[in-house]
Amino acid sequence: MIQNPDHENFFPGRCILINGPVIVGAGPSGLAVGAGLKQQGVPFVILERANCIASLWQNHTYDRLKLHLPKQFCQLPYFPFPDNFPEYPTKYQFLDYLESYARKFDIKPQFNEKVQSATFDETCGLWRVKTAGSTDNGFLREEVEYICRWLVVATGENAEKVVPEFEGLEQFGGQVMHACDYKSGETYRGKRVLVIGCGNSGMEVSLDLCHHNSIPSMVIRNSVHVLPREILGKSTFDIAVLMMKFLPLWAVDKILLAVARVVLGNIEKYGLKRPSKGPLQLKNTEGKTPVLDIGALQKIRSGEIKVVPGIKRFSPGRVELVNGEILEIDSVILATGYCSNVPSWLKENEFFCRNGIPKSSFPNGWKGKAGLYAVGFTRRGLSGASLDAIKIANDIGRIWKEETKHKKHCVTVGCHRRCRSHC
């Protein structure tokens, strides 16, 4: 038995040595690494704080959500989507796919295991991963410390919701929720809803509210790129990937913006100001994803979605905007995005930035020092996560096989004392 004196009400726990890597997070990224390790014959443990795989998709996405990119760019390694799936699978089809993926590779995460800290022990050259377990009904289980040689951070870029502070919001009095808790506009029929944020989530939540006869106003504080999801029936993303094989990024950006102007018209007259950087450059440098329009722009043109500037302050039942306009509103939905939670538990300051993103950009942000790996932080969605997952599994598998071969050799032919102690 061990005890954790840092815990306010510490209680007996146990220490477990893992013969292989510990993967933190059972989302698509963690599952992809697990599948790759299975292919390599490497044992592993996946720790997941929720009670299911892909908890962000299961519990924190709206009902109408579909994959924004064609399915070939979203499938995980070694297992394609079923042929009968549409080009843009629904959230529920994607979840079915992930469940099938876990079954195919016999991946069984340890659920309700929230990592409290992960520290590299210089003395023994191993990672110490401390968790606080809980049951589905919220009761605490014993603390566990996992000791392992390799640590794979698979919690991703979107582990925690971002909730900005607004003056007077506590006096507003109406319903306020983050988009991660929004399911459907059914309960908002006839209500005046302020949607704060104009990314893909803000646009789609506003569109869904329109479909349920709500009255949405969408706050656009900064500039935003809006692109058609398809051009002449072909995915805009697919076209961009193809062009980047032959053209520099700046040229592809110029072509995309020219085509968007033809297809969508001048969106700036509706309050949608474009950034100075192109959509792909902005995505690469700042991680800001362009909006792929699936109908919200038409609602903005018709006035069914009202575009408004930034917020100055809230007061009971209303909001004052920075231009002095006052809106009477019933509810607020915060489509203000997500962030990494890595800094809260990983005790390491060389590989990750303070915002929880690897310091080295894609394609070099998957491997750190001392057996530390990261997957799902490429800012390139599921396709980027899959590429990193394959690299991680292959790298660990290579080391695993080399060491296994060496140990078998030592057992067969004998080895001197120093080698035996190492083995």
Side-chain angles (χ1 to χ4, degrees):
M1 289 290 186
I2 62 171
Q3 290 188 340
N4 178 6
D6 296 327
H7 196 289
E8 185 176 347
N9 295 303
F10 66 87
F11 41 82
R14 55 199 172 101
C15 184
I16 301 176
L17 180 63
I18 302 300
N19 186 26
V22 165
I23 302 171
V24 183
S29 296
L31 296 178
V33 175
L37 292 172
K38 283 280 187 176
Q39 303 282 82
Q40 298 284 338
V42 180
F44 61 90
V45 167
I46 297 183
L47 304 177
E48 168 56 47
R49 64 180 177 176
N51 62 356
C52 60
I53 65 169
S55 62
L56 179 65
W57 286 86
Q58 299 255 29
N59 304 321
H60 300 293
T61 50
Y62 37 93
D63 294 341
R64 66 171 286 117
L65 178 64
K66 293 183 179 181
L67 296 182
H68 293 129
L69 303 180
K71 61 184 179 181
Q72 66 265 29
F73 297 106
C74 300
Q75 61 195 19
L76 301 184
Y78 325 111
F79 189 62
F81 279 104
D83 292 337
N84 63 339
F85 272 33
E87 186 170 17
Y88 300 95
T90 67
K91 144 185 171 175
Y92 300 104
Q93 289 171 322
F94 184 57
L95 287 171
D96 286 344
Y97 166 75
L98 293 179
E99 294 285 358
S100 299
Y101 192 87
R103 286 195 299 271
K104 176 178 176 59
F105 296 102
D106 193 29
I107 299 173
K108 298 175 181 178
Q110 295 184 196
F111 296 121
N112 299 309
E113 290 273 5
K114 183 177 181 180
V115 173
Q116 301 293 310
S117 67
T119 308
F120 184 71
D121 190 329
E122 299 278 356
T123 304
C124 62
L126 298 171
W127 286 92
R128 295 183 176 273
V129 183
K130 296 181 180 181
T131 69
S134 65
T135 61
D136 285 339
N137 57 12
F139 290 104
L140 290 177
R141 298 202 309 265
E142 65 179 353
E143 288 184 337
V144 179
E145 182 178 54
Y146 296 88
I147 298 178
C148 57
R149 177 168 175 190
W150 298 288
L151 176 65
V152 181
V153 180
T155 48
E157 304 159 340
N158 301 320
E160 302 291 345
K161 61 186 177 183
V162 173
V163 182
E165 292 185 2
F166 295 98
E167 183 181 349
L169 186 58
E170 63 278 4
Q171 281 96 41
F172 167 59
Q175 183 185 37
V176 179
M177 74 161 56
H178 193 274
C180 70
D181 299 313
Y182 176 90
K183 297 301 180 184
S184 165
E186 181 66 35
T187 59
Y188 294 91
R189 289 186 182 275
K191 292 186 178 181
R192 300 159 298 183
V193 184
L194 185 71
V195 179
I196 303 177
C198 59
N200 281 295
S201 293
M203 289 281 189
E204 291 190 33
V205 167
S206 297
L207 179 61
D208 189 57
L209 289 166
C210 282
H211 289 164
H212 288 90
N213 297 318
S214 305
I215 308 166
S217 297
M218 184 169 58
V219 175
I220 299 184
R221 190 166 55 107
N222 300 313
S223 53
V224 59
H225 278 301
V226 180
L227 303 175
R229 185 172 72 169
E230 294 183 341
I231 299 172
L232 299 176
K234 192 168 182 63
S235 160
T236 300
F237 182 80
D238 200 357
I239 293 172
V241 170
L242 179 62
M243 288 194 295
M244 287 182 67
K245 294 180 179 179
F246 309 99
L247 298 171
L249 184 143
W250 65 265
V252 177
D253 268 344
K254 283 187 176 296
I255 294 171
L256 288 177
L257 291 175
V259 172
R261 176 80 181 221
V262 171
V263 175
L264 303 178
N266 180 15
I267 65 172
E268 293 200 4
K269 65 182 181 180
Y270 301 109
L272 301 167
K273 183 180 178 181
R274 288 197 183 278
S276 57
K277 293 181 180 179
L280 298 181
Q281 183 187 9
L282 195 66
K283 176 66 174 172
N284 284 350
T285 58
E286 300 180 28
K288 294 183 179 179
T289 304
V291 171
L292 297 177
D293 180 55
I294 60 171
L297 194 55
Q298 180 182 347
K299 299 295 184 182
I300 291 173
R301 290 196 192 98
S302 68
E304 294 174 77
I305 297 176
K306 181 180 180 179
V307 172
V308 300
I311 295 166
K312 186 174 182 181
R313 66 173 64 89
F314 285 90
S315 56
R318 62 179 60 184
V319 61
E320 181 182 353
L321 306 174
V322 292
N323 63 357
E325 183 180 1
I326 294 178
L327 298 179
E328 303 285 339
I329 54 174
D330 301 303
S331 302
V332 176
I333 296 175
L334 302 170
T336 45
Y338 302 84
C339 65
S340 165
N341 68 359
V342 172
S344 69
W345 58 269
L346 181 60
K347 310 307 177 185
E348 186 274 346
N349 57 13
E350 291 186 12
F351 186 55
F352 282 89
C353 298
R354 292 180 64 182
N355 64 356
I357 302 296
K359 293 177 181 178
S360 298
S361 59
F362 181 85
N364 301 313
W366 60 278
K367 183 177 181 179
K369 296 179 180 179
L372 177 64
Y373 297 88
V375 58
F377 297 88
T378 64
R379 295 174 172 172
R380 283 167 171 76
L382 292 166
S383 60
S386 294
L387 290 173
D388 280 355
I390 293 171
K391 293 176 184 176
I392 291 169
N394 288 343
D395 195 57
I396 294 176
R398 174 185 56 80
I399 300 170
W400 175 270
K401 290 173 183 176
E402 288 175 356
E403 294 188 350
T404 301
K405 182 178 179 181
H406 176 69
K407 289 177 182 178
K408 288 181 179 178
H409 174 76
C410 290
V411 171
T412 302
V413 303
C415 59
H416 57 74
R417 182 179 303 171
R418 183 176 179 184
C419 183
R420 279 201 304 271
S421 68
H422 174 73
C423 293

